[in-house]
Amino acid sequence: MQTVDVLTCPEPVAAFWQAHADGRDIALATSGTTAGQPRVIVRSTASWVGSFGACAARLGLGPECRFWIPGPLRATMNLFAACLATHAGASWSMTRDDATHAQLTPALLRTLLDAEPPAGLHVLVAGDGLEPGLRHAAEERGLLVSHYYGAAELSMVAWGPDSESLELFDEVDAEVRDGVLWVRSPWLSRVQTDGDGFATVGDLAELDGNRLRLLGRPGTVTTAGATVELAPLEVLLQRQATDRVVVFAVPDERLGQLVCCVTTSADLDAVRGWARENLDGGHRPRRWVTYQHLPLTEAGKVDRAALARGLDKLGRRESPERSS
């Protein structure tokens, strides 16, 4: 039976539920901002619907609730939230008025905290890792905060109050093989699995019982004859910042490659100072690029592709700190 490309339909949420009623798979196109190339993910509607009850229970989401989803439905996490709301009998809207719940990225949560967030709003944060500091800042303003880790191919994997406190979601089995996370659950898309039903998107992780700690996507830089893994380094630097930190490998005529850290101007001194005190050799970033605000995708995620293009324009010369 032909799949339904719900994101091209005039009413994606209605198209999703019609596909569910018809027993048809759905096709979802990703933006490619993380993996570098857009992908089309095919999944059964049941791979989402089956998890909705557990999600709604964790959020206290019911018919009396209103879900604020400010991002476009082209982002699968937003479509997931809208379909979750309708499953729970709640209403949803792209405007904040009278909202009891919200689906936000960490960047959009920071923007909300700069305004006047309504006390008691339950914020579901996804699309990027939620740092404990940002979670605590939100709770101090009277917000309730939940966070989940998933991927377009895997759907729901882990849930917790922030990225340092994630636990495997219902019916999810996970293994870490050579540092890479593999997942088996009813929530997988039509993704390729191994003989035991496990799939991976290549994320690095540590697993302690049911507790999951994400370390980012693999990537290395070879500088001055040493190999540096970028994802764990980014995690370390991120802990010193209030906003997002992104680490890249950039070319260098003398050493071949260098570690470059992109951060906000407000976080630069803290992050660079910590790096000078705690990192040696090739692990210490040698180039720093600063923005007043990091560029975001339409869905509210940090736009790594835009940052990479910006670095490419700077060329191989030592770049000055800059604001954008």
Side-chain angles (χ1 to χ4, degrees):
M1 187 178 292
Q2 187 176 9
T3 60
V4 180
D5 186 355
V6 296
L7 297 182
T8 63
C9 296
E11 299 290 341
V13 176
F16 174 90
W17 287 111
Q18 186 60 56
H20 185 63
D22 295 340
R24 298 172 67 181
D25 284 355
I26 60 171
L28 302 168
T30 71
S31 64
T33 54
T34 300
Q37 293 293 331
R39 311 178 307 289
V40 175
I41 308 301
V42 176
R43 65 168 58 253
S44 70
T45 55
S47 66
W48 276 9
V49 175
S51 68
F52 284 167
C55 293
R58 284 169 165 80
L59 294 170
L61 188 65
E64 72 286 357
C65 300
R66 185 171 180 274
F67 216 143
W68 172 39
I69 307 172
L73 295 185
R74 288 187 298 277
T76 55
M77 67 178 179
N78 294 329
L79 180 61
F80 181 94
C83 293
L84 167 62
T86 56
H87 180 270
S91 62
W92 67 273
S93 173
M94 298 185 72
T95 60
R96 200 182 82 182
D97 299 339
D98 302 320
T100 59
H101 294 73
Q103 168 71 72
L104 303 177
T105 63
L108 293 180
L109 176 57
R110 292 187 188 94
T111 300
L112 178 63
L113 294 183
D114 289 338
E116 291 295 331
L121 181 70
H122 196 148
V123 180
L124 179 59
V125 183
D128 208 342
L130 174 62
E131 301 87 16
L134 180 56
R135 165 211 166 186
H136 293 311
E139 291 176 338
E140 288 172 358
R141 300 289 295 275
L143 303 183
L144 303 175
V145 182
S146 295
H147 176 51
Y148 74 81
Y149 158 72
E153 296 90 340
L154 308 178
S155 191
M156 193 68 65
V157 175
W159 190 291
D162 56 52
S163 59
E164 296 291 323
S165 305
L166 291 170
E167 295 188 353
L168 295 180
F169 191 71
D170 300 30
E171 301 184 63
V172 173
D173 296 321
E175 297 178 354
V176 173
R177 307 173 187 174
D178 297 324
V180 176
L181 178 66
W182 288 76
V183 173
R184 178 176 63 192
S185 80
W187 324 131
L188 299 183
S189 68
R190 306 292 190 197
V191 67
Q192 182 176 357
T193 60
D194 66 7
D196 295 318
F198 284 85
T200 185
V201 293
D203 282 338
L204 304 177
E206 296 174 347
L207 189 62
D208 182 7
N210 207 41
R211 190 75 171 264
L212 179 67
R213 182 164 175 260
L214 277 302
L215 301 175
R217 294 284 168 94
T220 61
V221 54
T222 301
T223 177
T227 299
V228 178
E229 294 186 359
L230 297 180
L233 177 59
E234 184 172 294
V235 170
L236 288 174
L237 295 172
Q238 181 64 69
R239 291 174 181 165
Q240 321 311 318
T242 59
D243 210 322
R244 288 291 287 127
V245 168
V246 182
V247 174
F248 289 97
V250 296
D252 178 78
E253 292 180 352
R254 184 169 62 91
L255 297 176
Q257 289 178 300
L258 291 174
V259 174
C260 174
C261 182
V262 181
T263 184
T264 63
S265 52
D267 281 330
L268 175 64
D269 289 344
V271 177
R272 186 162 59 179
W274 184 90
R276 286 172 173 168
E277 292 291 328
N278 295 278
L279 299 177
D280 296 320
H283 287 80
R284 185 189 304 165
R286 300 299 179 179
R287 290 179 63 184
W288 296 83
V289 176
T290 63
Y291 288 78
Q292 183 177 358
H293 302 288
L294 298 187
L296 304 179
T297 66
E298 186 183 23
K301 300 180 184 181
V302 172
D303 194 338
R304 289 176 176 263
L307 291 175
R309 289 193 297 270
L311 291 177
D312 186 60
K313 290 179 181 178
L314 289 176
R316 298 191 175 198
R317 69 184 184 280
E318 185 71 18
S319 62
E321 295 164 11
R322 70 171 190 159
S323 295
S324 173

